[in-house]
Every structure is written in structure tokens, then in C-alpha cells.
């Protein structure tokens, strides 16, 4: 069986089994139900270093740091959609996700992520605990790569998947978090499928 | 000649011949060059009242205020893409554009703008004068309607068209404003065309 | 009894007795408990027109529109702190509040609101329903007036008062909304008192 | 000579002698002219690791990672104001600054940064190149610590210091960047002095 469309899920939490992981997986399941291939990468599983602004990518198009990032970036390039999730750390993505974002700079040299479909998920420790500002940060990254942004769509229809979780297993019982994340996954997959059709 | 794809431009300025009008028109020209139909609406030309939260649209699906807004909303529904531009008024869209945005609520009852392609343009009085936060406001409106967002793409590739204009005719000589607005128009049109193909 | 410090509350809702009104009043009560004078203005009670960019204020320092706005702006100038609340309308403040914001332009000619303490409250129809982006819009307005911004402080400590209310009387039972709004009111009053001491 | 008020400058760039460093130093000079003590920390000079969400700080109040961060956090606690600057990396602060932000979590256990005055500076590679969204990220961090936010004040009066610099020494000739950064430094120092007076 050949899948033509692939959606990557990226979990920006240092915790591999936390609420963000749970919600990004739910989003991927909803995408998968529409017939796309999915893959989940957990930043807690990989070695990742910060960009040091050496500017070598400006001449070579390649990052000079040898860790797990170039391989992950290759996966993003080979996908048609990306769902990025992060717990809220001070109203923003985690340092781990920010490292991946900064390290994606070589891909922007010739806009290798152009027209990939992007969606965002965030999980905060309190109800209005930075989920929206964290999603904005992910959207800004995506627009700067000339990606295409979708939100979670009907019925709640705001910026993306928004979870609340003060303990490690909160996400499983968080109806709003589950619904918005699944709807986001569906939205990303639908548009990726539509765009990929010849 | 039959156009299958139409992009609406909305100028949120009370000034009909100002810099925002100039840049939105440039965006529409770039879109038009790709073969889409375009139409420009200047909020300075129409009668527009604020939403008063009467909630009649929740039962009837129609707005109870009779001004030029319902007709304009119909045009948005009939288009495949929307480019909204606003001068920066205190880091945000104008009151005039905000009135249109608030009055669009009936369309969200059954998400009539779902999957329309959206892009944003803003013009500030100083260099980093609220252009980005104004564009964010427009994007938020669009995501809440389950629209699809694109930015201005290569080479500057940030959030949309960004002009600087302290006097009424500044836009014509504002290279960054022109380039980002044209690129935005092209991005909106390309995606609208791609999605509309059977 | 002479009050040296005054905090103005502004309710940006077209509904005079809605959830935003409830939470702004709670914020003012908390401020009042610290010994400051408070006054509440409901935009639903006043006549308010949009700025039409006539630029007369640039030459005269006064707005050429005669409605209730100049008197309200005078009250803001005479206060030491401002708490602005808005229901979330498409991820942003209402048109009514945006009209007041745009009409405040004469005060920025010589920065008459400089060093006033500002805080923001928003009420959304769903849990992560644009509360944060609405508060950001209010903060941006305040910073552009060179005001000083505070958030809601401990224990939840994010951007301001955040309510959820899908029906008209939801705010009274919304613990997070009440707590963050009261804490915001206290934060604004404490700093206004501290700065006003000789 | 005894200084009662101290403003810390934090440069979030991996480049120690870049444009952000230049503008944060200018802000500190302007602050220093008002009689406050200043100190500059360059994140490029220190060892800094990401938060791994071990939650040890929740029980002990101390971070379990031994690098240069705890000492830097101590300096922030001992200051009355903080000016944070970052180059724009994908519309947001650098990974390096994000690591410091995430690692500041122990200070939020009992809100040790409460009522410190905060201001933000960002430097983008293009004119409207993410400066505003980067400043928003810094403000969000500060509000979550219950800090007090000021902008750059008159005459440009937006969100903070905003530089444009595509090459390493651009900042020295960037009039808008210099003016907004100096005004920000002055605003932070003035309020810190006013609050610290008995």
C-alpha cells in the first residue's frame, strides 16, 4: 500500500509520555483516519543542540552541527503536513522545540517547507495559561517558512489544539483538549490531501 | 470569459485613497496576474455599523442590522480568497475593519468561510509600528472562521504585507511594503487556484 | 475623605450587564479594598463614534467628533490606573472598545496616559477562546500610550483576568475568571498607590 | 557610592558582539545616565542547559542542573529591573534565551521577580521581520513572573527597542533601533527608581 500524503507530528516536550504527546497522537490518529500516513517524533527521544549562529548554512545550505536534527528536518521536508505540539513554558514553546525551530534555518534558504500544511497544539498548566500565545509562536515559525496554517475548525474553531493539564495524565480526560486536537489533525490532513491531489 | 476563482480585497481604512488601499490593490494586481478575478471593497465607501450582540443571528442565521455589511459578507462567501488590509491603529486593525469582523458572525454559524484562503496587510506610521500585531489580529479572525492562512512567502517571508507610511502617498515608494504585499497576493491566489482545481 | 488615587474600569461590551461587566466590577472591588477610588464606565451606556482619520487632532490636540468620548478620555487622564475589559469578539476586543481606543489618539499627542497603570480582562465563549489574544490587543494599546502593564499575579499569574462565559450570567460562577480579575484589580491598585506616593 | 537600584541587561544572542548586544548596551547606558547601576550578561558567555521538566524545583525551590544559570537568576533577583534583548529567530527569542526563560521556573515558585520592571529589545534581519512578536514573547515571560512591563515611550512609543540588522555591525547606524532602545532603557530605569524610593 502506497501512501502519497504524510503528516509528521512533533512533540516538543522533554517528557515523552506527557499530555502534549497524548494530544499530538490524538491529532495524528484523526489524520490517519482520513488515509494519510503519520509519524510521531518526540524531541525527548532525540539529541538536539541549539543553533549557534555560525552561518555555515548560509554558504553550504547544510547545518554544521551533527546531532539528530538534520534527519528530523529531512522527515519534515518529505511530509506534506506538520503538527507541532508543545507544553506551555512561560507562554511559549519549550526550549527543546525552540532549538528545533532555530535549527530549521537551512530549510529556509530555498524554502523547502513551502506549502506544507501546519497546525499547532499546546498544553498549559492552567485554563488560560499561555496556550494561545504558544500556538502563535508555532504559527509564526510556520509562516516564516512559507507554510500554510490551519486551525482546529468547527465547532470550537480557534487557533489549534488547546489542552489543560496540571498532572501527567490529564490529557486523557480533557474533552476540550481532545476535541480541538483531533479537529486540528483532521483539518491538516484534509488540506494536505486536497493539495496533493493531481 | 469565466473566472472560477475570485479574491476579494478589503481595505479597512477610513481613508479611501491611502497607503493601505495602495498596497491591497498591489496585492490584488499580483493575484490577478495569475488569472484570478479580483474585487476591491473600501470600507470608507460603505455604511457599516457595529455588532450590538443582539444574538438574533444565533436563531435566524442573519444579521438584523440593515446596512452595507450583509452584501459585503455575501461577496466574501462567493470568493475563494480574502486579502484584508488595515492601517495600524494602536497596534491593531481600525474600528471600521473591526466592525466588519464582528458583523461576520452570522457566517460562522455554519462556517461559510471555511477553507477560504486568507492573507493580511498592514501599514504603520513608523518602522516597527504595530504592523505585526495588526496582522496577527487579522489572522486570528480568519482562523476563527476556519480559513486557511498564508504569509508573504519568499524572499522576506514573514506574516504578510507590511507597509510604512507616515504620509498619504508613502506606499508607492515603499519597497518592502510593495514587495511583501505583491508576494502575499500571489501566495493567496496560487493556493486558491490549487484548491479550486477539480 | 480625599482619594488621591483613582482606577477607572472600562467595560467594552455592548451588553451592560454581561460577564465582562461582572468581572471588571470584581476587579474594581478588589482595587477599592486597597483604598483607591474607582469608577466604572460601560461603553454600552455611552455614545461612541469611530475615528475617521481626519487628523484634526494632529493640529489642535482635540478630537473633532462630539460624542461621549472626550469626556471619558478626560476621566482616563484624571485616573492613575485603567482596567479595560472586553468580551472576545473574533479573538480581539469589541468594535465598541476599538472605537474608544482609536479615539484616544489626541491623548497620545503629548502622552497624557504616560505612566498610568494598565490591566486587561477578557471573557471568551469557550475555554481557550481568544482570551489571551484579546488581552494582548489591550496591552498593545496601553504600551503605545506609554502606560505601564501589569498582569494578574500570583497564583495563576498570566496576562490578566480571563473569564469563560457562554451565557449571560456565567461569570458569577467562574472561579478562574473571578480570581484572575480580582488579582488583576489588586495588582493595578497596588502599583498605582506605590507610584503615587510622594 | 552606593547604588540602590540596579538594572540587569541580558543579551540572548549566541553572538557576543552582535547587534542585540549593541542595542542592549545602549539601553543600559541610557539607564545608567539616570543614576542606576547596570550589569550586562551575554548568554554567549555562559554555560546554559535546557529545563528537562524534572520538577525537582517544585519540591526544593532549587534547580537541579548545575551550570551558570542559578548564578544569573540570582542577579535578576537582586536587581530592580531587567532589559532582555534577543535577535529574532523565527519570529521569537533565541533558543539560548528560551533556555534561560524556562530555567527561571524556580523563581516563580514564590514569585521572586514580582514587581521588577521589565523591558524588551529585539533585532530582526528585515524591516518587519518578527521584532514585534519576539518582544511579545519576552513580555509574556515577564508577566508570568508578575513583573511590570514598560515600552519604549515617546516619541515612537511602541513595544520596546526594535532594531534591524542584516550584518553584524548594523546596529550602530540604525537610528530607530538606537532611539527605541535608549528610550526603553530610560523608561525601565525611571520606573525602577520611582518604585524603589521610600
Amino acid at each position: 500500500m502506497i501512501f502519497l500524503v504524510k503528516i509528521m507530528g512533533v512533540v516538543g516536550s522533554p517528557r515523552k509520555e506527557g499530555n502534549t504527546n497524548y494530544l499530538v497522537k490524538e491529532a495524528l490518529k484523526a489524520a490517519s483516519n482520513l488515509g494519510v500516513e503519520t509519524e510521531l517524533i518526540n524531541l525527548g527521544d532525540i539529541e538536539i543542540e541549539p543553533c549557534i549562529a555560525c552561518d555555515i548554512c548560509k554558504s553550504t545550505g547544510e547545518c554544521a552541527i551533527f546531532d539528530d536534527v538534520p534527519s528530523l528536518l529531512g522527515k519534515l521536508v518529505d511530509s506534506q503536513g506538520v503538527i507541532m505540539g508543545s507544553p506551555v513554558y512561560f507562554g511559549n514553546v519549550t526550549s527543546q522545540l525552540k532549538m528545533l525551530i532555530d535549527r530549521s534555518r537551512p530549510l529556509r534558504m530555498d524554502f523547502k517547507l513551502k506549502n506544507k500544511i501546519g497546525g499547532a497544539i499546546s498544553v498549559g498548566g492552567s485554563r488560560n495559561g499561555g496556550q494561545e500565545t504558544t500556538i502563535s509562536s508555532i504559527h509564526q515559525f510556520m509562516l516564516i517558512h512559507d507554510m500554510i496554517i490551519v486551525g482546529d475548525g468547527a465547532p470550537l474553531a480557534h487557533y489549534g489544539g488547546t489542552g489543560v493539564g496540571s498532572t501527567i495524565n490529564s490529557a486523557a480526560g480533557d474533552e476540550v483538549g481532545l476535541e480541538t486536537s483531533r479537529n486540528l489533525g483532521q483539518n491538516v490532513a484534509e488540506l494536505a490531501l486536497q493539495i496533493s491531489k493531481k
Side-chain angles (χ1 to χ4, degrees), chain A:
Chain A
M1 189 175 186
I2 296 166
F3 287 100
L4 294 172
V5 171
K6 182 169 175 183
I7 309 292
M8 289 292 306
V10 177
V11 177
S13 176
R15 288 187 182 137
K16 294 182 241 181
E17 303 294 337
N19 293 311
T20 303
N21 181 61
Y22 195 96
L23 292 182
V24 174
K25 270 168 142 172
E26 288 295 314
L28 291 183
K29 271 187 229 169
S32 181
N33 288 342
L34 296 175
V36 302
E37 189 183 6
T38 64
E39 182 178 351
L40 184 77
I41 297 281
N42 220 304
L43 297 191
D45 281 328
I46 73 169
E47 196 193 335
I48 183 163
E49 295 290 327
C51 168
I52 54 169
C54 69
D55 272 356
I56 288 178
C57 63
K58 285 177 83 167
S59 10
T60 67
E62 306 278 338
C63 186
I65 301 176
F66 298 98
D67 55 9
D68 294 328
V69 170
S71 152
L72 171 49
L73 294 180
K75 286 172 184 290
L76 298 183
V77 171
D78 291 340
S79 71
Q80 283 69 48
V82 179
I83 293 170
M84 275 197 167
S86 182
V88 180
Y89 281 16
F90 287 97
N92 202 340
V93 298
T94 62
S95 299
Q96 285 81 5
L97 185 51
K98 193 65 199 7
M99 285 192 244
L100 175 65
I101 285 172
D102 292 359
R103 293 285 302 286
S104 73
R105 194 185 182 210
L107 303 185
R108 193 173 179 261
M109 299 297 157
D110 49 359
F111 289 93
K112 287 203 179 73
L113 299 182
K114 178 177 169 65
N115 287 350
K116 312 284 184 199
I117 316 302
I121 293 173
S122 64
V123 183
S126 59
R127 191 181 74 181
N128 297 95
Q131 287 91 337
E132 298 178 13
T133 52
T134 300
I135 287 177
S136 287
S137 289
I138 296 174
H139 286 174
Q140 286 148 13
F141 152 75
M142 290 173 166
L143 288 172
I144 291 170
H145 272 294
D146 202 9
M147 290 176 64
I148 295 163
I149 309 296
V150 296
D152 56 297
L156 289 170
H158 274 76
Y159 313 132
T162 47
V164 174
S166 47
T167 61
I168 284 187
N169 296 306
S170 311
D174 174 13
E175 286 307 322
V176 172
L178 291 168
E179 182 178 14
T180 51
S181 298
R182 288 169 184 155
N183 290 345
L184 178 79
Q186 195 173 319
N187 249 2
V188 170
E190 276 177 359
L191 188 57
L193 282 163
Q194 193 175 1
I195 282 189
S196 304
K197 266 187 287 188
K198 308 294 158 202

